[in-house]
Structures are given as structure tokens and as C-alpha cells.
């Protein structure tokens, strides 16, 4: 059952009153992650995920909710997409970047999102700790979740020879009946 607007307001106010590193902040975000409540809370959740000073687990939870409950309103969806893109750019928070990359699949028809996902998945990087690889894997999952399109198929075809993700990209293309040289 969705949270009434007064409950949403109360939870947001409680969230804002807590210390920045209090795990209750994550729990409050999780409470907002149900059906209509998540859609109503999307602007707030977007502000949480985009804030580089916010508690990282609250940001991860917000990204997960925004992936599962993307708003249908185009203005709100664009706001959410921009927030997730900002989170993906936060190089200090690898876990947040991974969840943001995966959440972007719900917004992949936005040209800026598509461009960022393509760059993330195609960037083989030289990271020593493997975190960039996890962002790449999640960007691939986002593209797969977004479903077939000519642009996404082109990205996966370009990825097909990649030693890390090539087999997965080929599997997705085959599932889309878009093989390495065929249409999407």
C-alpha cells in the first residue's frame, strides 16, 4: 500500500534530520521503495543518489529503487536520469557507481544516458582494483535490461570482441535476434 503524502513528507523530514552517516537514512529510503510511493518519492530519491556527500548506502538504495520504479512523467524521468548520471561520475564511490550504472537501463532511451552507458561498457580501462570492470558489467546489464534498439545493438557489436565482456555481449545480441552482423 502506498505511503500517504503526509507519511512521505514525514519520512523525508526525518531523513534530513538524521546525521549524514546514520544507517536509518538507508532504511528510510528503503521504506520509500514500494509501488506508488517510489514514483511519488522519485524527486527526493534522485536528490539522494546525486548527492556525493550523502550516505553511500542510502545512495545505493535510492539507485535500486529508481531502477525498479522509474517514473512515467518525462520531466521527472529526465531529472532521475541526470541524478544517476551524476552518481556514475562520482569516482570516489565505486559501489554507488555500480548501482547507478545498472539503474540507468530504465532510462536508456535518453540520448545522454545511452552515450554514457556506451562509454562505460566500452571503456576497458586500466583500473588496478577491478571496480571499473564492475561498472562495465552493470552498464552491460543496463543495456540488456533496456532491450533491443539499433543503437544498443551497435554498442554490443562493438563490444563483441572485448576479452572481458564480449561473450556476454554476443549472448545478449543473440537473445535479441541481432547477432554480430544482423539487425536489432
Amino acid at each position: 500500500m502506498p505511503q500517504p503524502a503526509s507519511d512521505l513528507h514525514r519520512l523525508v523530514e526525518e531523513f534530513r534530520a538524521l546525521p549524514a552517516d546514520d544507517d536509518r537514512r538507508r532504511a528510510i529510503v528503503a521504506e520509500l521503495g514500494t509501488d506508488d510511493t517510489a514514483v511519488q518519492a522519485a524527486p527526493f530519491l534522485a536528490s539522494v543518489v546525486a548527492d556525493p556527500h550523502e550516505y553511500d548506502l542510502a545512495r545505493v538504495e535510492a539507485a535500486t529503487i529508481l531502477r525498479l520504479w522509474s517514473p512515467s512523467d518525462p520531466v521527472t524521468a529526465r531529472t532521475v536520469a541526470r541524478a544517476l548520471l551524476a552518481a556514475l561520475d562520482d569516482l570516489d564511490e565505486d559501489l554507488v557507481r555500480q548501482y547507478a550504472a545498472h539503474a540507468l537501463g530504465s532510462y536508456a532511451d535518453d540520448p545522454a544516458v545511452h552515450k554514457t552507458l556506451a562509454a562505460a561498457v566500452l571503456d576497458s580501462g586500466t583500473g588496478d582494483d577491478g571496480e571499473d570492470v564492475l561498472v562495465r558489467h552493470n552498464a552491460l546489464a543496463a543495456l540488456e535490461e533496456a532491450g533491443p534498439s539499433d543503437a544498443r545493438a551497435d554498442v554490443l557489436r562493438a563490444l563483441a570482441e572485448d576479452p572481458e565482456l564480449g561473450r556476454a555481449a554476443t549472448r545478449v545480441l543473440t537473445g535479441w535476434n541481432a547477432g554480430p552482423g544482423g539487425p536489432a
Side-chain angles (χ1 to χ4, degrees), residues 3-19 24-33 37-48 54 58 62 65:
Q3 299 275 343
S6 61
D7 284 349
L8 174 60
H9 179 73
R10 179 187 56 77
L11 287 169
V12 169
E13 289 305 312
E14 180 184 350
F15 179 93
R16 290 182 176 146
L18 291 167
R24 173 74 181 130
R25 290 171 80 92
R26 183 208 48 79
I28 289 170
V29 170
E31 286 180 48
L32 298 174
T37 304
V39 173
Q40 293 170 359
F44 168 71
L45 296 170
S47 72
V48 170
E54 185 53 74
I65 293 166

Side-chain angles (χ1 to χ4, degrees), residues 8 35-50 62 65-67 69-85 103-104 106-108 110 113:
L8 174 60
D35 301 329
D36 295 334
T37 304
V39 173
Q40 293 170 359
F44 168 71
L45 296 170
S47 72
V48 170
V49 80
I65 293 166
L66 292 168
R67 175 180 159 255
W69 301 102
S70 57
S72 59
D73 169 52
V75 173
T76 305
R78 182 174 165 81
T79 298
V80 168
R82 295 305 173 265
L84 291 166
L85 290 171
L104 283 167
S106 298
Y107 309 90
D110 179 316
V113 171

